[in-house]
Amino acid sequence: MPGNKGVVYEGPGKVEVHEIDYPGFELKDGPGVNPANVGRELPHAAILKTVATNICGSDQHMVRGRTTAPPGLVLGHEITGEVVETGPGVEFVKTGDLVSVPFNIACGRCRNCKEGKTGICENVNPDRPGSAYGYVDMGGWVGGQAEYVLVPYADWNLLKFRDKDRAMEKILDLAMLADIFPTGFHGCVTAGVGPGSTVYIAGAGPVGLAAAASAFLLGAAVVIVADLNKERLEQARSFGCETVNVALGEPRDQIEQILGEPEVDCAVDAVGFEARGHGSEADVERPATVLNALMDVTRAGGAIGIPGLYVTGDPGASDEAAKQGSLSIRIGLGWAKSHGFATGQCPVMRYNRQLMQAILHDRVQIAKAVNATPISLEDAPRGYHEFDQGAARKYVLDPHGLLSRMS
C-alpha cells in the first residue's frame, strides 16, 4: 500500500501538507466526520490516484477562519484522477480509468438524485441534504487535495474520459469540470443567459471567469465582469469581457457607459458572503452588497444566478445577523422587478458531460480563461497564500508530477 500526503487545514490562515491515511473502503472517525457516518462501509467506492486537484475559493473561506471547519480537516473537492482500486460493489468503473469527480457527493438513489438535484443528495450527509469532499459540515468525506482519495458511489459519480491520451492533452481544461466550469455555467443557465444576452457577472475570481466563459459559450452578446482587483479584471478582458471596477463606485453608471443603458438581461453572483462594499466602502465588508447591486442592475423580469457561496454560520462576520447567515437584502426590489433567483450547490452532473465535449472539441478554452496554473502538492501553502492575496490564477495541485510532464 503506498503512502499518502494531503493538504490539511490547521487553523485560520494556516494550511500544511501532512502524511495522511491511505483511503480504505470504510469512513473512519476524524476531523469533521459526522458521528453518524463513522464506520460507514463503502463497497460502492473507488480509490483514485489524484492527477489534478484544485484550490477553490470555497476552500479559502475555511482557511480564512470564516466557517466552523475544525483543524485537521483534509481539504479539497475539485478532483481529477485515475482509478487504482474499486470496491466489490463497483460494476462499471475499472482500474486505469481516467475520471472527473463532481464535487457534489451523491448516492444516485434518493429522490433528489433521481430528479437530477445531485447537490442536495439526501443520503450522504446526516446533518442536511448536500455534501462535498473535504468541506465543513458536509458529512466528513476526506478531501481530495491529496495523492490518493476515495470516491463513494463510483459508478454514479465518476465521469470517465474514454480516450486517456486525448484527455491528458487537455487535462488542465478537464480539471475544471469538477467544480468551477459547471458552477459558472450553472450560474449562467439559471440566470437565463442565451444568444444575444447582456450579462453582468459580479466577481472575477475563477468562478466568475468560468461564468464569463460559459456566457460566451451560451451565446451572450456582451459579458461584463466586475471586481475590485485590477489584475483579475485584466484577466477577464483577456478573453473578450467588458469590465467594471466597483472600487470606483456602483456598477450602474459604468454599465450604462458600456451598453448605453444601466441594466442587463441577466446577472450572476460569483462573490458570495465575503463581499465588500463599492466605491468608498470598497475596503469594508458588506455581505449583501453584491446581491443588492445585482437586483439594481438586472432588468425587470430578468433572473439572477447565485453560485457564490453563502453560509449559515460565519464566525468572522462583521455583525451578529451575518454570523447566522442573515443579510440585509432588498428583497422588495427583487420582488417589484419580478426577478428570478437560483441558489445552492451546482448539480455538476447536470452539465459536466456536455462541457467535457465542449473542451475536447475545442469550443472553449476554460483553463486559459481562468489562468490555470499547476503547482506541486508541497507548494499548496504558497498557492493558498497567493490566492488569498488576489492572484489572478486558478491553482491546480499536481501531486504526482503528471501535469508537469504534459507541459
Side-chain angles (χ1 to χ4, degrees):
M1 181 183 298
N4 195 17
K5 292 181 179 179
V7 180
V8 178
Y9 170 65
E10 293 291 352
K14 187 176 183 181
V15 295
E16 294 181 353
V17 179
H18 291 308
E19 294 286 342
I20 62 173
D21 290 340
Y22 186 82
F25 293 98
E26 179 182 312
L27 192 54
K28 298 180 180 180
D29 197 7
V33 179
N34 190 294
N37 261 349
V38 175
R40 186 170 180 163
E41 295 185 359
L42 307 168
H44 44 69
I47 297 172
L48 306 188
K49 176 181 179 180
T50 306
V51 172
T53 177
N54 315 332
I55 296 175
C56 181
S58 298
D59 299 321
Q60 202 71 281
H61 292 308
M62 289 188 290
V63 172
R64 291 186 186 122
R66 297 301 297 269
T67 72
T68 56
L73 187 72
V74 180
L75 300 169
H77 57 268
E78 300 189 18
I79 308 161
T80 308
E82 180 183 1
V83 177
V84 294
E85 188 177 355
T86 58
V90 177
E91 185 175 0
F92 304 110
V93 170
K94 305 298 182 185
T95 299
D97 286 347
L98 183 63
V99 296
S100 177
V101 184
F103 80 91
N104 324 108
I105 302 174
C107 71
R109 297 154 166 80
C110 70
R111 174 180 176 177
N112 283 340
C113 283
K114 290 178 179 179
E115 292 177 355
K117 301 171 184 175
T118 54
I120 44 174
C121 173
E122 297 174 336
N123 289 331
V124 289
N125 182 358
D127 284 335
R128 60 177 179 266
S131 189
Y133 303 88
Y135 211 83
V136 59
D137 296 332
M138 288 290 184
W141 301 90
V142 178
Q145 287 174 13
E147 294 175 317
Y148 296 90
V149 64
L150 185 84
V151 176
Y153 303 103
D155 281 329
W156 169 250
N157 282 305
L158 295 178
L159 174 66
K160 179 181 175 179
F161 304 137
R162 297 196 177 278
D163 186 332
K164 290 178 68 173
D165 291 339
R166 184 182 181 195
M168 286 303 295
E169 291 174 0
K170 293 180 177 291
I171 194 62
L172 271 184
D173 295 276
L174 294 171
M176 303 303 125
L177 291 174
D179 183 353
I180 66 164
F181 193 11
T183 293
F185 194 84
H186 179 63
C188 289
V189 168
T190 55
V193 177
S197 297
T198 57
V199 186
Y200 178 80
I201 297 169
V207 170
L209 296 173
S214 299
F216 284 126
L217 190 60
L218 288 163
V222 182
V223 178
I224 303 169
V225 178
D227 208 293
L228 301 161
N229 183 314
K230 293 180 180 179
E231 184 182 357
R232 289 182 171 181
L233 291 174
E234 184 178 344
Q235 180 63 25
R237 288 191 292 271
S238 74
F239 61 99
C241 300
E242 302 286 346
T243 58
V244 163
N245 186 340
V246 292
L248 303 178
E250 295 297 329
R252 193 177 182 86
D253 292 340
Q254 294 178 67
I255 291 172
E256 186 167 19
Q257 291 174 8
I258 296 167
L259 297 177
E261 57 184 349
E263 293 184 327
V264 294
D265 298 323
C266 318
V268 177
D269 174 2
V271 178
F273 74 101
E274 286 193 65
R276 294 188 175 274
H278 295 163
S280 61
E281 294 191 334
D283 292 331
V284 182
E285 192 163 297
R286 294 283 186 264
T289 295
V290 168
L291 290 172
N292 289 331
L294 295 191
M295 286 185 277
D296 181 46
V297 304
T298 302
R299 68 174 180 85
I304 299 170
I306 310 173
L309 176 67
Y310 289 87
V311 295
T312 56
D314 175 10
S318 56
D319 62 70
E320 290 303 314
K323 288 180 181 180
Q324 308 301 319
S326 296
L327 309 182
S328 298
I329 297 170
R330 295 184 63 195
I331 193 64
L333 176 61
W335 189 94
K337 296 177 80 171
S338 294
H339 284 155
F341 298 87
T343 65
Q345 284 189 31
C346 163
V348 170
M349 293 173 68
R350 189 178 299 174
Y351 308 107
N352 62 352
R353 187 174 299 277
Q354 300 96 307
L355 296 178
M356 173 187 72
Q357 295 285 61
I359 290 169
L360 293 175
H361 293 280
D362 299 318
R363 299 304 181 199
V364 65
Q365 293 181 301
I366 188 64
K368 184 176 180 181
V370 302
N371 197 16
T373 304
I375 61 175
S376 69
L377 187 71
E378 288 72 19
D379 274 342
R382 173 178 67 85
Y384 269 96
H385 175 73
E386 291 179 1
F387 188 40
D388 188 52
Q389 296 300 305
R393 299 178 181 275
K394 175 67 172 177
Y395 286 104
V396 181
L397 304 181
D398 184 10
H400 296 279
L402 298 171
L403 304 181
S404 60
R405 295 177 202 172
M406 301 303 299
S407 60

